[in-house]
Amino acid sequence: MDTKVTSSEHYGSQFDLDIGELVEPNRIHRRVITDPDVFELEMDRIFGRSWIYVGHESQIPQRGDYFTTQVGRQPVVMTRHENGQIYVLENRCPHKGALVCPDRNGNAKRFMCMYHGWRFDGDGSLVSVPVHSGYDETGFDARDPKNGMRQLPRIHNHKGFIFASLTADGPDFDSWAGEGLRGLNNVIDRAPTGELEVVGDCYRTIQNNNWKIFVDNMSDGMHTSFVHHQMARAAQHTLEKFKGQARPGGLDVAAQLAGEPDQMAKVDLVAHPHGHFDMAAFAPDLQGADAELYRTSIVARHGEERANAVLERNFHNVLMFPTIIMQASLQQMRVIRPLSVDKTMLEIWVFRFKGVPESFSRRAVMAGNFANSPSNVVAADDFEAYFRVHAGLKGPQSEWISLHREANRDLPVGASLRGLTGNSEVCMRNMYKAWRDYMTAK
């Protein structure tokens, strides 16, 4: 595959851009972030080929339920057919291309395109075409179910989490996910019944920055002492009012962010093949009477030894590159939807563990409000930092972005890499290596 593209970003002139030269072992060129032509290639070569998160099966619990979203640039609809099977379909009518399902979600035994009345089953197959005789002897069979809404070539249900790919070839899901699944699996293992469910709708925010700036930040512990210092101090003072009582969700995590720049050095950072990573949790796990009841339920499911292993391995951020970041310790998941080179939509979903005390679910919802609602006091700090990074990189003199922190000190763990400390930029270096591999693949 040709890895050169024509770009018009540099002083308004045309030049040949070799994607492979934009990523070096310990730094990346600013055009990885700011070049609109690079962004267009990403949408084709990464979001158009990789495994992309679609949704969770709990969002379509009943037969006939559907949920609409995007896979890369492609609008899709995730459906639960009358036979109980889950499908992911292109959300377009094969006639003129109109969106068939414009709503975010709903329930329908059949889908009908509002433009010309074509009707489709829950698996996308064509049910009927008005005045189908008009297609006689035209080469189009208006009675053939195969001429319906197309199913995506590949779909995988990983314990309720639905992923799909727009291409029929490429690594299978397990090969792509690899060790990156350990964080997601840990979240699922923490549910007493092995089942999670989405709580309500999500928070949606638009960031005025490239999507990769956000992903970088999810493994960057050092920024917390600066970006979140005032917020964290306020959280610490608030926590003092709850001594011996149940505390609002998210405060424990927020209060940990007011320390020195090396406060996150003890946190494990592990980078996995294909750009995935995980960051260990840095706040104490749940405590109190409900926590004991919860632990008893986990032991009942897994047995004592396995339960101890599950509960001892707690994660704060888990990236399944390129689209989801699970905040396991807060029962939240962030879904990345790139809109343009400098705009990114972020969806934040809260999950409930089935079979846990209600206080756990309340804590998760409160943490979601605290960190992600329109009046939040956490993400607003980050968004300003992301904006400033992107704004600074627009200047053509800002050529290279440093990823040198603790470079050449990464510790091999099988096919993965552990940062020497939690301040390492190992996950960023690993992600951009995967980014380059995607962008230059033959």
Side-chain angles (χ1 to χ4, degrees):
M1 179 182 295
D2 186 4
T3 62
K4 289 187 177 182
V5 295
T6 300
S7 175
S8 56
E9 188 194 29
H10 189 56
Y11 298 113
S13 63
Q14 298 287 323
F15 70 101
D16 283 336
L17 180 69
D18 191 320
I19 296 295
E21 295 178 359
L22 297 181
V23 176
E24 297 182 357
N26 301 322
R27 65 178 189 170
I28 62 169
H29 197 274
R30 58 179 280 275
R31 287 192 174 82
V32 171
I33 303 295
T34 62
D35 193 317
D37 296 307
V38 170
F39 175 82
E40 292 302 315
L41 272 184
E42 287 178 336
M43 298 308 291
D44 288 337
R45 298 183 181 180
I46 299 179
F47 290 87
R49 296 177 183 173
S50 185
W51 287 96
I52 305 299
Y53 176 73
V54 180
H56 192 266
E57 65 180 12
S58 65
Q59 293 172 270
I60 49 171
Q62 305 299 322
R63 301 184 182 208
D65 285 350
Y66 66 87
F67 170 76
T68 62
T69 184
Q70 297 265 136
V71 172
R73 292 187 180 95
Q74 178 59 51
V76 299
V77 54
M78 179 174 68
T79 76
R80 190 179 291 274
H81 191 266
E82 289 297 313
N83 63 12
Q85 183 71 32
I86 293 176
Y87 295 91
V88 181
L89 315 173
E90 292 183 5
N91 190 4
R92 61 177 295 274
C93 179
H95 180 213
K96 296 289 188 179
L99 284 176
V100 176
C101 301
D103 297 330
R104 183 67 167 171
N105 53 51
N107 183 280
K109 186 175 182 180
R110 298 282 188 272
F111 299 126
M112 186 180 78
C113 178
M114 59 82 68
Y115 198 8
H116 295 96
W118 288 34
R119 292 170 64 85
F120 310 92
D121 206 346
D123 63 356
S125 58
L126 184 61
V127 173
S128 65
V129 173
V131 196
H132 57 72
S133 60
Y135 290 93
D136 292 345
E137 300 179 4
T138 66
F140 180 85
D141 188 348
R143 300 174 181 83
D144 188 347
K146 294 180 181 178
N147 288 326
M149 298 167 66
R150 288 189 295 186
Q151 299 176 12
L152 265 60
R154 293 188 292 167
I155 175 175
H156 183 86
N157 184 342
H158 182 75
K159 303 179 181 179
F161 291 83
I162 310 300
F163 294 81
S165 175
L166 294 174
T167 61
D169 55 3
D172 61 49
F173 178 83
D174 290 332
S175 299
W176 166 80
E179 278 296 302
L181 276 178
R182 73 177 194 164
L184 186 58
N185 286 340
N186 178 261
V187 178
I188 299 166
D189 287 341
R190 285 172 164 260
T193 66
E195 295 180 288
L196 284 70
E197 60 183 354
V198 169
V199 179
D201 205 345
C202 66
Y203 298 103
R204 290 184 192 87
T205 60
I206 303 295
Q207 303 174 5
N208 293 307
N209 54 266
N210 186 267
W211 65 278
K212 296 182 294 298
I213 296 175
F214 165 74
V215 178
D216 278 0
N217 190 69
M218 293 298 98
S219 66
D220 186 339
M222 188 170 285
H223 82 280
T224 60
S225 299
F226 303 96
V227 174
H228 299 305
H229 181 75
Q230 294 301 325
M231 177 278 301
R233 290 290 299 276
Q236 287 180 337
H237 291 314
T238 303
L239 270 181
E240 293 174 2
K241 302 176 183 178
F242 290 90
K243 287 183 177 179
Q245 305 175 48
R247 294 170 290 197
L251 272 182
D252 286 322
V253 174
Q256 296 290 315
L257 305 180
E260 296 300 318
D262 63 350
Q263 65 176 339
M264 305 291 279
K266 295 181 180 179
V267 173
D268 269 355
L269 284 177
V270 182
H272 305 294
H274 304 296
H276 315 311
F277 75 73
D278 50 61
M279 167 192 275
F282 49 85
D285 219 338
L286 294 167
Q287 301 174 357
D290 280 352
E292 285 302 313
L293 290 173
Y294 168 65
R295 189 183 187 285
T296 299
S297 68
I298 296 299
V299 171
R301 178 188 172 197
H302 294 294
E304 186 76 31
E305 184 176 351
R306 173 67 177 148
N308 288 337
V310 168
L311 296 177
E312 286 172 3
R313 174 178 277 185
N314 192 14
F315 296 96
H316 182 62
N317 282 332
V318 173
L319 169 68
M320 300 296 294
F321 183 80
T323 49
I324 63 169
I325 292 179
M326 176 69 78
Q327 289 198 296
S329 59
L330 297 176
Q331 294 172 222
Q332 298 175 29
M333 184 171 67
R334 303 180 181 191
V335 183
I336 304 159
R337 310 286 187 199
L339 301 178
S340 66
V341 69
D342 59 359
K343 285 197 183 297
T344 304
M345 182 169 74
L346 194 66
E347 299 176 346
I348 302 97
W349 299 89
V350 175
F351 284 86
R352 175 189 294 117
F353 294 154
K354 288 187 177 182
V356 300
E358 184 59 29
S359 62
F360 280 46
S361 299
R362 288 199 302 269
R363 178 181 181 272
V365 172
M366 290 177 68
N369 290 335
F370 180 80
N372 302 299
S373 70
S375 59
N376 81 83
V377 293
V378 181
D381 294 339
D382 288 318
F383 289 0
E384 177 65 19
Y386 306 159
F387 171 77
R388 293 191 190 189
V389 170
H390 198 114
L393 290 174
K394 287 182 179 179
Q397 299 305 315
S398 304
E399 283 206 86
W400 293 95
I401 300 168
S402 169
L403 303 175
H404 289 81
R405 198 161 66 229
E406 298 191 1
N408 305 317
R409 303 177 191 173
D410 305 332
L411 307 173
V413 183
S416 303
L417 292 171
R418 174 178 280 113
L420 180 66
T421 77
N423 288 333
S424 175
E425 291 174 331
V426 59
C427 298
M428 302 174 209
R429 292 189 288 269
N430 181 70
M431 184 191 78
Y432 286 110
K433 177 181 180 297
W435 181 92
R436 182 185 60 197
D437 291 345
Y438 273 111
M439 296 287 280
T440 60
K442 299 297 184 181

